Amino acid sequence: MSTAIGLYGVSFAYDTEEEGQAYALKDVSFEIEKGSFVAVVGHNGSGKSTLARLLNGLLIPTVGRVKVFGYDTCDEDTIYEIRRRVGMVFQNPDNQMVASVVEDDIAFGPENLGVEREEIIRRVDNALASVGMSDYRKSTPFRMSGGQKQRIAIAGALALCPEVLVLDESTAMLDPKGRAEVMGVVRRLNREQGITVIHITHYMEETLDCDRVIVMDGGSVALDGTPSEVFGRGEELKRYKISPPYVTWLADALARAGLDIDRAIYTREEMEESLCRLLSKD
Amino acid sequence: MPIVVKGLSFAYSKGTPFEKKALDCVDVEISDGQFIGIMGHTGSGKSTFIQHLNGLIKVQSGEIDVDGIHLTSARRPKPDYKKLRSTVGMVFQYPEYQLFDETVIKDVAFGPKNLGLSKEEAFARAAEALRLVGLDPDEIGERAPFELSGGQKRRVAIAGVIAMRPKILILDEPTAGLDPYGKEQIMSLICRLKRECSPTVIVISHDMDEITRYADRLIVFSEGRVAFDMPMQELFKHGQELEAIGLELPSCVSIADNLRLKGIELGDDIVNMDGLAKAVVKAARERGIECGDIASVRWYGEEGE
């Protein structure tokens, strides 16, 4: 498998008035495989959002290198190529709309790149179909639900034909229905179109079927593995102020009471199976 | 005194082509000292409902009694809105966006000052409210609200409401957008406020697993009506109907239901994780498996308080 994005010894410091430089990221290195679905979690202030902004050159590392398909984000000649390939969707659905009609909003990106009109129309069609919003092409985004707005924002990113989508807490402000809509769309894009997804979130349920979960703490990578590897590290997770799904809380409590339950359980199905096994014994 | 709502209906843009019915003949009674969870998908009428309770929306038809204050569609006699708003504290979604003053202490003192208290009294109340939400007024009182972290800002915003010493505290999705640790802290804070300041608490939530850990009663809205208002043990027997209006059962209840299908009965009164954990312990002991007690299922231990 080839690497989509690689971070090599990346540190990032914000300039502050009082204390000089404050490091938000410290010596972070990892590679993200093309086509993978990666979740990034961490409590507020752990460096997640800074990380997101480094992935397409919105921020440039203070120390170290970020490479996107081999291009270095500090190279000004290729930065637009990087931004085209790495689309971003942010937290607040209301802050990302640039036009009052859906199709204009989605066409904004390719128009700015000077894409041919016929091609723009094709891309808008495809992008809307990919997020299941084809019926809304002439509507205004302002009266839509949060989930619909975020799908429009994703379509806006798709119109640039990106290879990577970075979602920076894009589900945080949505209700459960909106979250399910957005996650459904993103999973499909990952599976059917092979788009690499980096999903930053506080909702642990959204990380359960990811290929990989990266836990950030204090500006560094604290844990990095599959969901079952990560959620099995109970005591460490507590230290990083991460809370796994409620099912893992329950498994942890039952195991501590001395019952034969695996602490790393994180899905309902596994919990049901373990309880069945435990309580079927006579 | 309790809250009594009778036959409350409301339509937005009434009398225009955009008229949209938001509440349809809602009857609800809430006794003092309850912790109420209000649920329903977006557009079900729950926000419209709570905004009636402190007079932010005027009654179109039906009537409301809140702590002896009577609200109807009649213009006269005019209800005592000042008293109503000091009785019912309202914390909106993302309340930190509403901080506006130069310093934290001035921001929190704004409410009590508007109630007509002197500057000294208002500041004393503000300091007390900040302490109640776990912030040190000496340390952050003179700072600009915008310098604080997101979690601190939300606490300051809640303090601004608490400073009016409301008997009834209403919060619209108080944990929205917070990380799991921040959520846990805000929910523990709400429990403390209920104990020490505002005995009746009404929380709008979208998270069944979260709200069932705290609430003693759930009211479910759908399409402007109260769809369910019954003890949670009863409510969770209506899984399919809840699903039809966009709500999932708490995961503990679905686990117990699925185990029942496999022939393992844990009891039908499980409404939250604590209940499920206790039922599992009991069932294990009945089968001769030794294990300790579980007081409550928590992740962060006591430090979440």
Side-chain angles (χ1 to χ4, degrees):
Chain A
M1 283 300 264
S2 59
T3 303
I5 300 182
L7 282 78
Y8 306 97
V10 171
S11 296
F12 182 84
Y14 289 99
D15 285 318
T16 60
E17 279 177 30
E18 293 140 26
E19 293 141 48
Q21 291 190 316
Y23 276 88
L25 279 191
K26 287 171 223 150
D27 196 23
V28 171
S29 299
F30 59 77
E31 290 182 337
I32 286 174
E33 239 172 57
K34 222 173 145 184
S36 60
F37 196 126
V38 180
V40 179
V41 301
H43 65 91
N44 288 335
S46 61
K48 307 185 298 295
S49 288
T50 306
L51 179 68
R53 284 163 175 71
L54 283 158
L55 299 179
N56 72 345
L58 286 177
L59 297 174
I60 304 299
T62 311
V63 183
R65 290 262 175 278
V66 176
K67 289 200 172 179
V68 179
F69 298 104
Y71 298 114
D72 194 319
T73 57
C74 73
D75 184 350
E76 285 181 23
D77 294 335
T78 50
I79 189 70
Y80 289 103
E81 183 58 21
I82 289 173
R83 296 224 174 108
R84 186 193 66 71
R85 290 189 180 206
V86 183
M88 279 195 95
V89 180
F90 295 96
Q91 183 179 42
N92 191 335
D94 293 321
N95 293 349
Q96 298 173 66
M97 300 294 157
V98 293
S100 53
V101 178
V102 165
E103 61 178 356
D104 295 352
D105 192 82
I106 295 167
F108 182 78
E111 269 176 347
N112 273 325
L113 293 183
V115 175
E116 295 282 326
R117 185 184 147 80
E118 294 306 311
E119 171 67 11
I120 291 181
I121 293 171
R122 201 159 43 238
R123 288 197 192 178
V124 170
D125 284 343
N126 288 343
L128 281 172
S130 297
V131 299
M133 293 288 285
S134 298
D135 294 344
Y136 294 87
R137 126 172 246 147
K138 302 280 182 194
S139 315
T140 178
F142 302 111
R143 295 203 139 206
M144 289 181 178
S145 71
Q148 289 175 325
K149 283 181 196 168
Q150 286 298 58
R151 279 149 72 195
I152 297 297
I154 292 172
L158 291 178
L160 294 171
C161 306
E163 287 159 76
V164 181
L165 263 186
V166 179
L167 307 173
D168 186 8
E169 292 191 36
S170 309
T171 54
M173 296 180 86
L174 305 182
D175 64 10
K177 184 164 165 275
R179 281 207 324 263
E181 284 171 16
V182 168
M183 290 311 292
V185 162
V186 173
R187 283 198 190 101
R188 218 173 46 238
L189 290 171
N190 175 253
R191 273 177 208 151
E192 292 172 11
Q193 303 187 21
I195 293 179
T196 310
V197 177
I198 301 163
H199 177 44
I200 298 176
T201 184
H202 288 319
Y203 291 103
M204 296 305 144
E205 315 88 75
E206 294 175 357
T207 69
L208 301 185
D209 56 358
C210 289
D211 302 314
R212 178 176 170 195
V213 180
I214 296 175
V215 178
M216 300 291 297
D217 183 64
S220 305
V221 174
L223 295 170
D224 183 352
T226 61
S228 64
E229 283 164 3
V230 167
F231 293 127
R233 313 277 280 269
E235 294 310 312
E236 280 171 85
L237 291 176
K238 284 177 201 175
R239 200 173 339 128
Y240 306 134
K241 295 187 180 168
I242 297 291
S243 132
Y246 283 117
V247 169
T248 312
W249 297 29
L250 180 64
D252 187 67
L254 294 174
R256 282 201 283 169
L259 289 169
D260 182 20
I261 297 275
D262 180 0
R263 281 186 185 198
I265 286 175
Y266 60 90
T267 67
R268 271 183 217 176
E269 292 72 26
E270 286 176 306
M271 177 56 84
E272 285 161 18
E273 276 169 33
S274 315
L275 288 176
C276 247
R277 222 175 303 131
L278 178 78
L279 299 174
S280 298
K281 286 186 229 166
D282 285 308
Chain B
M1 288 234 271
I3 300 172
V4 181
V5 177
K6 274 189 205 150
L8 186 66
S9 295
F10 185 84
Y12 287 102
S13 312
K14 201 175 168 87
T16 76
F18 300 105
E19 178 167 328
K20 193 172 178 306
K21 198 153 208 168
L23 289 179
D24 187 7
C25 215
V26 168
D27 296 305
V28 170
E29 261 185 59
I30 294 171
S31 338
D32 288 344
Q34 284 194 314
F35 194 133
I36 305 277
I38 294 193
M39 308 207 70
H41 62 89
T42 309
S44 60
K46 55 194 189 322
S47 293
T48 310
F49 174 72
I50 59 161
Q51 287 177 58
H52 274 94
L53 299 183
N54 80 339
L56 288 173
I57 294 181
K58 287 196 176 152
V59 175
Q60 280 175 353
S61 77
E63 50 190 300
I64 302 175
D65 259 301
V66 179
D67 201 45
I69 304 165
H70 196 58
L71 305 170
T72 65
S73 58
R75 293 217 180 144
R76 309 255 171 235
K78 200 177 167 218
D80 187 348
Y81 282 118
K82 205 172 239 182
K83 181 160 173 247
L84 179 63
R85 287 179 187 138
S86 66
T87 306
V88 183
M90 181 83 70
V91 179
F92 292 103
Q93 256 186 62
Y94 299 97
E96 58 274 22
Y97 292 154
Q98 296 168 43
L99 300 175
F100 66 98
D101 220 321
E102 287 169 4
T103 66
V104 167
I105 193 88
K106 275 192 200 167
D107 201 297
V108 177
F110 180 79
K113 257 203 282 192
N114 270 327
L115 293 181
L117 296 182
S118 72
K119 198 180 163 200
E120 289 69 34
E121 277 177 295
F123 273 63
R125 282 233 196 154
E128 183 199 346
L130 283 169
R131 272 184 220 107
L132 257 173
V133 300
L135 297 170
D136 181 356
D138 300 323
E139 190 191 318
I140 65 151
E142 293 306 319
R143 287 172 62 186
F146 312 103
E147 292 173 17
L148 306 177
S149 75
Q152 284 176 321
K153 275 193 243 179
R154 190 163 297 189
R155 282 166 186 266
V156 169
I158 294 175
V161 173
I162 290 302
M164 295 191 280
R165 293 187 187 153
K167 285 191 211 164
I168 298 161
L169 183 61
I170 303 179
L171 305 103
D172 190 354
E173 289 198 60
T175 63
L178 296 179
D179 64 15
Y181 186 69
K183 282 186 185 184
E184 191 79 1
Q185 284 184 314
I186 290 288
M187 289 313 292
S188 305
L189 168 63
I190 293 169
C191 291
R192 187 160 86 227
L193 293 175
K194 185 176 184 307
R195 282 196 305 271
E196 297 180 15
C197 160
S198 309
T200 305
V201 169
I202 301 172
V203 173
I204 289 187
S205 172
H206 277 305
D207 186 341
M208 271 288 185
D209 285 323
E210 179 183 85
I211 196 69
T212 50
R213 293 172 62 206
Y214 302 97
D216 34 49
R217 173 177 159 203
L218 293 186
I219 301 174
V220 179
F221 278 80
S222 176
E223 291 175 10
R225 290 166 173 269
V226 173
F228 293 98
D229 182 6
M230 54 181 75
M232 281 190 259
Q233 289 87 335
E234 292 300 313
L235 173 62
F236 295 143
K237 290 179 184 138
H238 297 268
Q240 285 180 339
E241 287 130 291
L242 285 172
E243 204 173 304
I245 56 174
L247 295 176
E248 274 187 36
L249 285 175
S251 30
C252 55
V253 177
S254 14
I255 290 171
D257 286 351
N258 286 336
L259 286 175
R260 183 173 303 121
L261 295 177
K262 293 174 185 167
I264 297 172
E265 180 60 51
L266 291 173
D268 59 359
D269 56 350
I270 293 166
V271 298
N272 57 26
M273 280 291 170
D274 289 356
L276 178 58
K278 283 177 185 154
V280 170
V281 165
K282 185 162 163 268
R285 285 180 181 154
E286 283 167 4
R287 288 163 176 76
I289 306 168
E290 277 181 39
C291 59
D293 283 319
I294 297 174
S296 79
V297 178
R298 314 177 60 144
W299 185 250
Y300 296 109
E302 296 305 315
E303 61 172 320
E305 281 283 331

